[in-house]
Amino acid sequence: MNLPYSNNLPVNKLAAVFSSTSATYKFYWFLAILELVEKDIFYIEKKKIFSKMISNSWYTINYFQVSFGKQDLIQDSVRTILEIENITINENKDIINAILENTTKIDTLKILNHFDKNVPHWFISSWFSGNRKDIYSLSQNFDHGCLYRLEKDHIEINPIWISYLKLNSKILKDFCYWNLSLFLQKRNPNVPDIPNKICRTLGRNSLLKQMNEYWKIVFIELGAIDCIFTNKKLIFEEKKYALDHFVPHAFVSHDLIWNLIPIDKTFNSSKSDKLPLLDKYFDKFYILQETAYEIVKSYNPKNKYLEEYLNIFPDLDSRSGFDYLQYKETIQPLITIASNNGFSYMKG
């Protein structure tokens, strides 16, 4: 993916910024700048940019547990700020920005100011040669058409770049997200759906259709479903159940029916994004899923959710059918990789 061309601007210099990256700083720095330029802010306080770097990576690190690699300090910074500022994992990004921009806590300020050591001047180093002091000095007159001027606590966007940044903001952000996805996928080769874990919010799709068009059929046929975790009988009309992602949504990042089961609503709240113990719960999960599949298939062979099982069982209609080992061999690696990425197991 290439940057939009311009006859009058050294776009090649901007592209060169991303030609070699060993950490995510450049991506989050530029994304923050683009968001602020979209709001017609061209004289930008560095603290505002550093705050956005944290908030833009907040969900990727805290909720989706994507690893940024050992060289990247953003990950440690985000997790430390989570504790210092007592911010919730699912806090709104605008609120996170407001908290960080107005914080007076010394430890948080140290973390934010740490980014000032290298990020602002190295980002425009493709326009200049020299050390930090040299680049600060050379940027003052926007030499070589550099993107911005560096000051102690601010940057000022070069006026010749403003129109380009505003007109191409979406493409430039997509460029960042695309390259950030490639960067993080190399460091998380077995983690699914990296792109959606970078640029999405925590808004979750409703599971009402899966409940009404699939699991309701099972409830009606069985009369009640036993929660695999608490053994409580769940009755459709009582509404004391919730559809649960057996492997946490924060890891798989999808709502496919083969990973969804109704469980006790109260337990679902406490389970949150914890991993189930397979030795204890997989057999119950498998039996419930197989039973549900057979019931729905008998009721309506063309039910669209039946097709989602083909991800696991490509030959679902063959003799092997709803194979126990094939199912477990799909779930087991997901649980293991999620655990390796920081997701914790349920107790007992």
Side-chain angles (χ1 to χ4, degrees), residues 110-127:
K110 283 182 180 178
I111 291 171
L112 295 177
N113 290 332
H114 174 77
F115 295 122
D116 193 36
K117 291 181 180 179
N118 293 308
V119 180
H121 72 278
W122 276 125
F123 189 87
I124 57 171
S125 62
S126 59
W127 277 271

Side-chain angles (χ1 to χ4, degrees), residues 9 37 40 42 157-167:
L9 296 171
V37 168
D40 293 327
F42 312 126
I157 303 297
N158 187 337
I160 67 172
W161 278 95
I162 291 173
S163 178
Y164 176 88
L165 296 177
K166 293 189 72 173
L167 288 173

